[in-house]
Amino acid sequence: MGAVQAAPIDDQFQTWLSADLWPDAKKAGVSKATFDAAFKGVEPNLKLPDLVLPGQKPETPTKQHQAEFRSPAAYFAPKTVDAVVNGGRSRLQSNARTLARIEKQSGVPGPVLLAVWGRESGFGAAKIPYDAFEVLSTKAFLSTRKEMFRAEVIAALQMLQSGRVTRADMRSSWAGALGQPQFMPTSFLKNAVDGDGDGHVDIWTSTPDVLASIANYLDHYGWQKGRDWGFEVNLPESVSCALEGPDRGKKFGEWAKLGITRANGRPFPKAEMNKEGFLMLPAGRSGPAFLVTPNFYVLKEYNESDLYALFIGHGADRIGGAKSGFAGTWQPVEGLMRSDVASLQRALSAKGYDTGGADGLPGFRTRRSIGEWQTAQGQPATCYPNAALVKAVR
């Protein structure tokens, strides 16, 4: 983007701030002084991903900007997992009283909170390099999800207006997430709490506030006390991978009758046998298989990714004392572009399969649609995309 092109966008951005965003901010209770302080010196950051510049049309991204969109094997690289597990274990005892109190209040186990904290910000060590108002306003002005980011920038202004944070506190990730729990501003307003009793909510530097806020978030989305997140299982060939998904649940006892067993050789807990569980295959037949509880989908509320929720659950198990990694192997999968997967999704949708949309991400609806199509063609169901499949379905 050259200077000749950038200048008009800067002008349009300033006009948008004053004529478009400010009226909504005013209606939301934000003063002009707060608004002006928030955007003093702020210009659109055109280097951020997922922007649609004036005159351009939205396209499915080809690159995977988030780790959650990449190969499952890469996501669970031992170095990454071990950093969270070892960091969590070292903090389990030093924060024992805080974690016990929070678990009593929320029902969320301490190892789960530590896994989220470690994954989101390296237990507070990760740098948070962006100005939140720069990121949020740029995305509200130019991104593919303008309305979502508009709500977030208004929430960020309300945070500032309330006096709960200072302008200097408003540092974020490239996606606009704040503090050590990496809350979006709307989540901060709903879920950030005072965990150390000092009368101030500080998700930037206070460990009790960070942990209590993560717990409050998960509790808000329905964490079921006393239930695990799920279990790695052995999936017989006789059980179709197309049975995956939160809308195709069965009682654990019913899954067991189909021949599914726990990968570690232990029986499923008796308390789970009459409760619903869900098949989850993040890499289709090319990786480990899992039966998960509703708590797995609560973890997905934190980050809408099967791999993320699985990382948290697995990391929590290891922090809590489990000694080994997955029993199953993450086999190599082809590194397709999101545009390739989107093409496959459109082709399957045209044939009547429910892929959940053409976003270029192989979620559970896409995975099981692949399995259903393969079965209809008389092929072994793998439930995961590859280049040959993209061509064949067309």
Side-chain angles (χ1 to χ4, degrees):
M1 178 63 61
V4 174
Q5 292 175 295
I9 293 179
D10 291 342
D11 293 342
Q12 291 176 47
F13 177 74
Q14 295 302 327
T15 299
W16 172 80
L17 283 177
S18 59
D20 193 334
L21 188 63
W22 161 241
D24 278 359
K26 184 178 181 180
K27 291 177 184 177
V30 178
S31 71
K32 191 64 164 62
T34 296
F35 189 88
D36 289 344
F39 292 109
K40 184 179 180 180
V42 171
E43 297 178 350
N45 184 344
L46 303 184
K47 295 181 180 180
L48 296 172
D50 303 328
L51 302 184
V52 182
L53 301 183
Q56 294 183 348
K57 293 182 179 180
E59 296 180 357
T60 301
T62 57
K63 295 182 179 180
Q64 319 289 45
H65 291 287
Q66 289 183 237
E68 288 79 14
F69 298 163
R70 298 174 188 148
S71 164
Y75 195 77
F76 291 99
K79 182 178 179 180
T80 305
V81 176
D82 289 348
V84 171
V85 171
N86 294 334
R89 285 175 176 172
S90 70
R91 288 165 175 80
L92 195 58
Q93 285 303 115
S94 59
N95 294 282
R97 294 180 64 181
T98 296
L99 291 168
R101 173 173 50 79
I102 293 172
E103 181 171 357
K104 185 177 181 180
Q105 294 170 342
S106 67
V108 185
V112 171
L113 303 179
L114 291 170
V116 173
W117 184 24
R119 180 67 201 182
E120 291 297 329
S121 65
F123 306 101
K127 293 182 180 180
I128 304 177
Y130 292 92
D131 177 82
F133 284 105
E134 176 188 86
V135 170
L136 295 170
S137 60
T138 297
K139 287 181 172 287
F141 179 55
L142 291 172
S143 83
T144 56
R145 295 181 291 169
K146 291 182 180 179
E147 290 307 311
M148 187 203 91
F149 282 103
R150 187 183 189 89
E152 295 297 345
V153 75
I154 293 294
L157 287 164
Q158 291 174 319
M159 289 172 60
L160 204 59
Q161 181 67 39
S162 71
R164 297 173 72 183
V165 299
T166 67
R167 181 64 179 85
D169 290 330
M170 300 301 287
R171 306 296 299 175
S172 78
S173 70
W174 62 263
L178 305 166
Q180 294 186 36
Q182 287 289 272
F183 278 177
M184 296 302 288
T186 53
S187 292
F188 178 94
L189 293 176
K190 293 176 184 176
N191 300 298
V193 293
D194 175 15
D196 56 18
D198 68 353
H200 177 60
V201 177
D202 178 7
I203 63 170
W204 288 268
T205 63
S206 168
T207 293
D209 287 11
V210 168
L211 294 171
S213 296
I214 294 170
N216 194 45
Y217 184 102
L218 296 175
D219 183 38
H220 171 83
Y221 281 103
W223 184 271
Q224 295 184 10
K225 186 176 183 179
R227 295 194 74 180
D228 209 321
W229 65 270
F231 313 91
E232 186 180 355
V233 298
N234 301 307
L235 185 68
E237 291 296 329
S238 58
V239 179
S240 172
C241 55
L243 290 175
E244 181 182 9
D247 54 348
R248 296 186 179 178
K250 301 177 186 293
K251 292 180 180 179
F252 274 86
E254 294 173 334
W255 288 116
K257 288 180 181 178
L258 293 176
I260 294 179
T261 59
R262 287 184 69 178
N264 63 8
R266 299 174 186 171
F268 291 111
K270 290 184 179 180
E272 292 289 354
M273 296 304 282
N274 287 318
K275 295 179 180 178
E276 198 170 29
F278 314 92
L279 185 62
M280 203 277 293
L281 302 164
R285 288 278 184 180
S286 297
F290 306 87
L291 283 182
V292 300
T293 75
N295 283 343
F296 177 85
Y297 295 99
V298 173
L299 293 175
K300 282 191 67 173
E301 293 290 345
Y302 213 103
N303 182 315
E304 188 58 26
S305 162
D306 290 330
L307 296 181
Y308 177 88
L310 179 58
F311 187 102
I312 299 303
H314 177 67
D317 287 349
R318 297 276 301 279
I319 291 169
K323 295 181 180 180
S324 61
F326 298 113
T329 301
W330 297 103
Q331 301 171 25
V333 296
E334 293 184 43
L336 297 176
M337 293 291 187
R338 284 182 65 177
S339 52
D340 294 329
V341 178
S343 174
L344 173 63
Q345 290 169 323
R346 286 190 290 269
L348 286 169
S349 296
K351 296 179 185 297
Y353 294 94
D354 176 16
T355 65
D359 60 1
L361 307 176
F364 77 89
R365 291 185 187 277
T366 296
R367 296 194 295 265
R368 73 187 186 194
S369 293
I370 289 171
E372 290 168 347
W373 181 87
Q374 290 170 321
T375 299
Q377 303 302 307
Q379 301 175 8
T382 65
C383 295
Y384 205 77
N386 58 45
L389 190 68
V390 173
K391 292 180 180 179
V393 175
R394 290 175 184 169

